Amino acid sequence: KQEVTQIPAALSVPEGENLVLNCSFTDSAIYNLQWFRQDPGKGLTSLLLIQSSQREQTSGRLNASLDKSSGRSTLYIAASQPGDSATYLCAVMEYGNKLVFGAGTILRVKS
Amino acid sequence: GAVVSQHPSRVICKSGTSVKIECRSLDFQATTMFWYRQFPKQSLMLMATSNEGSKATYEQGVEKDKFLINHASLTLSTLTVTSAHPEDSSFYICSAQAGRTEAFFGQGTRLTVV
């Protein structure tokens, strides 16, 4: 059974810092991996999608990498801003097109 | 990215009544829609997978007679919580996909049963 783990569970940083969120998964038979952002009481916003054949994706200040063989992904946020404060979720898509989610990393960027 | 609209965003109902939540993909045809439940400070728990024109597939432990799912078209899926009780109070979120592609999520529905 696929298990997705995110480390750290919570992170507090001063504004302007670069930071890395980690995601690991136990079964490398995935179609893709997505990073999402969730604000309190809201739905999920898709940040980046990495196909299983890709190594990384970039969007603005965000960069996500994927090492499928080792079951790891990282989300790099450059020059963090208070508006980046949210819960970040990673999810892998497996057979049946289902997403398996990690528990999330709660990020707080202090101004 | 694509837009998925979920309605209502918030609903309060009396115990014993039924509540319907709608999930619409506004700018693409969703072959599959998923329904999740999220408890406070926890991640999303998949409840069921809904394919257009066929019966929903429920995850283990989810009562299909209590959580009725209908996926009548490629742009609309509905979740009906029947005979709701306070323990059904939760945050419900839908997502839509066109095959094995990026998943897009609705805004979520906060259900409170009093």
Side-chain angles (χ1 to χ4, degrees):
Chain A
K1 181 185 173 185
Q2 179 76 265
E3 292 184 2
V4 180
T5 303
Q6 290 187 244
I7 295 173
L11 182 62
S12 182
V13 300
E15 181 177 6
E17 264 199 21
N18 302 324
L19 55 101
V20 174
L21 308 182
N22 297 289
C23 174
S24 62
F25 47 96
T26 55
D27 188 346
S28 61
I30 64 170
Y31 296 134
N32 60 51
L33 183 145
Q34 274 187 265
W35 283 94
F36 296 92
R37 167 186 174 139
Q38 184 177 29
D39 293 288
K42 304 292 185 183
L44 276 63
T45 300
S46 179
L47 297 174
L48 288 165
L49 167 73
I50 310 178
Q51 300 291 352
S52 61
S53 59
Q54 297 176 322
R55 299 284 291 184
E56 67 176 333
Q57 282 287 338
T58 298
S59 175
R61 294 183 294 108
L62 305 180
N63 176 277
S65 68
L66 173 63
D67 185 339
K68 188 179 153 185
S69 60
S70 68
R72 296 177 189 274
S73 176
T74 60
L75 177 66
Y76 175 83
I77 302 177
S80 59
Q81 302 170 358
D84 295 330
S85 299
T87 297
Y88 290 80
L89 296 161
C90 80
V92 296
M93 184 175 289
E94 55 177 17
Y95 178 75
N97 299 343
K98 297 180 184 180
L99 286 175
V100 179
F101 282 87
T105 293
I106 301 172
L107 172 65
R108 180 180 170 222
V109 181
K110 298 171 287 185
S111 56
Chain B
V3 178
V4 174
S5 176
Q6 188 173 338
H7 178 81
S9 59
R10 190 177 295 268
V11 58
I12 301 173
C13 71
K14 291 185 177 180
S15 188
T17 61
S18 295
V19 173
K20 180 184 284 189
I21 302 170
E22 289 189 349
C23 181
R24 294 180 183 272
S25 57
L26 298 186
D27 50 5
F28 71 103
Q29 293 186 323
T31 52
T32 309
M33 289 187 175
F34 299 86
W35 288 94
Y36 298 84
R37 184 172 179 176
Q38 187 176 33
F39 293 99
K41 300 187 185 301
Q42 294 188 26
S43 192
L44 280 71
M45 180 191 80
L46 180 64
M47 299 174 66
T49 302
S50 168
N51 291 295
E52 185 263 341
S54 61
K55 289 185 178 180
T57 303
Y58 290 82
E59 295 298 303
Q60 194 171 11
V62 177
E63 298 177 61
K64 62 180 181 181
D65 295 329
K66 180 162 193 61
F67 299 100
L68 300 179
I69 293 172
N70 183 275
H71 193 161
S73 75
L74 285 171
T75 58
L76 174 64
S77 176
T78 59
L79 167 68
T80 302
V81 183
T82 63
S83 186
H85 291 284
E87 57 266 29
D88 298 323
S89 298
S90 191
F91 192 61
Y92 294 88
I93 310 178
C94 70
S95 73
Q97 293 170 211
R100 197 176 302 157
T101 60
E102 190 170 0
F104 296 97
F105 283 76
Q107 306 94 317
T109 298
R110 170 70 60 193
L111 170 63
T112 303
V113 185
V114 297

